[in-house]
Amino acid sequence: MRIGIDRMAFATTNDYLDLVELAKERGVDPNKFTIGIGQDLQAVVPPTQDIVTLGATAAKKLLTPELEKNISTVIVATESGIDNSKASAIYIKHLLGLSDFTRTVEMKEACYSATAAIQFAKGVVALNPQETVLVIAADIARYGLNTPGEVTQGAGAVAMLISRNPHILTLEDTTVAYSKDIMDFWRPLYATEALVDGKYSTNVYIEFFLQTFTRYQQLTGRELADFAALTFHMPFTKMGKKGLEGLLKDRNDEVAQRLRTQLTASQLFSRQVGNLYTGSLYLSLMSLLQNSDLRAESRIGLFSYGSGAEGEFYTGILEDGYEHYMNNIQEELKHRHQVSVAEYEKLFSSQLGMNDRDIEFDVTNDPLPFVLKGQKDHQRIYEAK
């Protein structure tokens, strides 16, 4: 039985910041951001949006009444949880109007957990072929104003349906997971912004990719020539390049050139949105599929990484007509609203965060279909507009 990704959709906020403008404001050479980090634009989060609203918005784009009938499970992968007990999947399931006879859970392991969610979803479908699992990777990357990590912030959600006879990508059986207790990035319960050792984290990322890919080759006997493309978790696009070059080194033959070209295609959307944590790998996959001319039956490698640390390398085979089962991301990104650095800083500081007070936000100007109206009696209030 073929099981894999049947549909995909992406959602981000309506506001964005031009990183050239941020560089000028911070007294930094813009090339450090656009070339050194590999980022151009960054999603800016208004207080009326969080992982619940973004996740529900992404899912709404791919659901139809007929598809909803088969959803047995909703899994939200995030490291931006809004409650230490209640799963964000419950809120999203309610906003989407899904059946109460639906399993809802939330998963955490830094940026990696969406991949675990997909693998678990594959198991659910294998046991119950008539069922579909909705996997949502939703996150808001925050490092603080005027910090070294500021340029690698971002926000968004990728929603995926995992089912039998998928229309986008059939998942192959061999996967390689790899984990170690490493402190390269973490977010204590008392902090809304992450703590990170950037250079160390980059080195760990490359090591985990090489370890998982080498082990995959040992298990399957496959070579680089067997791949049409490799996709990477990209908290910033230069990270994916570092991973690929760590493998290719000085190799410059036809296969290496092809993989570099496809990597560029996979970076385009991330350059315009920023860091999605759990969703970064899957936004890069969508970028690859919408900005290249890959053919059906092509094999794609996917490297997932989450600090702390865990990595996984796995593969999928493209299905015929895959391009018809995703939303047009580039077209949607054209209609966002640019904010100034001052406006961005105000919005950044207006988040609900760990505030315990009652608060009501003005949702009038938020064009997304789901909004966070505020908080009352320690309960977040959501609305479908």
Side-chain angles (χ1 to χ4, degrees):
M1 177 170 54
R2 295 186 301 106
I3 301 174
I5 302 174
D6 184 61
R7 283 168 172 76
M8 303 182 78
F10 169 71
T12 188
T13 62
N14 189 55
D15 298 323
Y16 73 90
L17 175 68
D18 188 324
L19 293 181
V20 170
E21 296 301 315
L22 179 65
K24 293 176 180 177
E25 182 68 25
R26 299 292 187 250
V28 175
D29 181 353
N31 288 335
K32 182 177 180 180
F33 291 173
T34 60
I35 299 175
I37 300 296
Q39 297 298 127
D40 296 322
L41 309 175
Q42 184 179 104
V44 174
V45 185
T48 50
Q49 292 295 319
D50 66 6
I51 61 163
V52 168
T53 58
L54 291 171
T57 297
K60 181 180 175 66
K61 294 179 181 182
L62 55 71
L63 291 180
T64 65
E66 191 62 32
L67 291 171
E68 291 175 7
K69 294 177 183 178
N70 297 323
I71 294 177
S72 68
T73 304
V74 179
I75 307 176
V76 174
T78 187
E79 59 174 274
S80 310
I82 61 168
D83 189 286
N84 286 329
S85 176
K86 186 173 181 179
S88 52
I90 294 179
Y91 294 99
I92 292 176
K93 172 236 148 186
H94 174 72
L95 287 173
L96 295 173
L98 299 178
S99 167
D100 287 345
F101 293 100
T102 303
R103 182 186 298 112
T104 52
V105 292
E106 181 174 310
M107 298 184 61
K108 177 177 72 177
E109 175 25 50
C111 303
Y112 162 77
S113 60
T115 297
I118 289 173
Q119 300 297 349
F120 296 163
K122 183 180 177 183
V124 170
V125 177
L127 290 172
N128 305 281
Q130 75 282 3
E131 295 183 4
T132 297
V133 179
L134 172 59
V135 172
I136 299 171
D139 266 305
I140 296 173
R142 287 172 60 95
Y143 294 97
L145 300 176
N146 208 5
T147 63
E150 184 177 32
V151 68
T152 62
Q153 298 178 140
V158 176
M160 297 169 277
L161 292 181
I162 309 301
S163 72
R164 65 176 176 175
N165 301 325
H167 287 97
I168 296 178
L169 194 71
T170 293
L171 301 180
E172 295 189 289
D173 290 337
T174 302
T175 72
V176 178
Y178 186 78
S179 61
K180 286 185 176 181
D181 185 0
I182 291 174
M183 297 301 289
D184 61 328
F185 171 108
W186 66 104
R187 190 187 306 182
L189 290 177
Y190 52 79
T192 57
E193 282 79 46
L195 303 174
V196 60
D197 185 338
K199 185 175 181 180
Y200 179 45
S201 188
T202 298
N203 292 336
V204 174
Y205 172 101
I206 296 170
E207 176 199 345
F208 274 46
F209 170 56
L210 296 178
Q211 289 280 3
T212 55
F213 186 77
T214 299
R215 178 63 173 162
Y216 175 87
Q217 287 186 301
Q218 292 169 348
L219 293 173
T220 64
R222 294 188 179 121
E223 302 293 335
L224 276 177
D226 295 316
F227 293 90
L230 297 177
T231 56
F232 293 82
H233 164 59
M234 286 192 283
F236 54 93
T237 63
K238 195 67 173 287
M239 185 77 99
K241 179 178 175 59
K242 288 177 181 291
L244 181 61
E245 294 304 327
L247 178 66
L248 296 179
K249 301 186 185 302
D250 295 328
R251 184 169 170 174
N252 199 33
D253 56 15
E254 182 181 349
V255 172
Q257 291 176 9
R258 182 183 74 241
L259 293 177
R260 289 187 177 104
T261 297
Q262 301 295 19
L263 175 70
T264 299
S266 74
Q267 294 173 321
L268 295 178
F269 294 157
S270 294
R271 291 189 71 98
Q272 300 176 63
V273 176
N275 194 351
L276 303 188
Y277 286 156
T278 53
S280 292
L281 169 61
Y282 299 99
L283 180 60
S284 70
L285 174 60
M286 295 184 75
S287 184
L288 170 71
L289 298 183
Q290 295 188 18
N291 293 289
S292 65
D293 56 355
L294 291 174
R295 297 179 180 179
E297 300 186 5
S298 294
R299 175 175 289 109
I300 297 176
L302 299 96
F303 173 62
S304 180
Y305 176 79
S307 294
E310 187 155 3
E312 184 164 343
F313 184 84
Y314 70 109
T315 58
I317 303 297
L318 272 182
E319 294 295 327
D320 187 32
Y322 65 86
E323 65 273 15
H324 301 301
Y325 295 90
M326 299 174 282
N327 64 311
N328 187 328
I329 295 177
Q330 188 58 59
E331 185 61 32
E332 293 182 7
L333 291 178
K334 292 178 182 177
H335 300 289
R336 293 182 298 170
H337 168 251
Q338 182 176 349
V339 298
S340 66
V341 175
E343 290 172 317
Y344 144 72
E345 292 178 340
K346 181 178 179 181
L347 290 170
F348 185 93
S349 301
S350 300
Q351 301 297 304
L352 183 57
M354 293 186 177
N355 197 330
D356 64 356
R357 296 182 293 106
D358 289 353
I359 189 169
E360 184 174 355
F361 297 128
D362 181 3
V363 300
T364 307
N365 297 321
D366 193 322
L368 270 64
F370 303 103
V371 292
L372 172 62
K373 293 188 65 177
Q375 180 172 270
K376 185 174 177 59
D377 298 329
H378 306 285
Q379 300 176 41
R380 292 194 176 209
I381 310 299
Y382 294 100
E383 180 181 86
K385 297 180 72 175

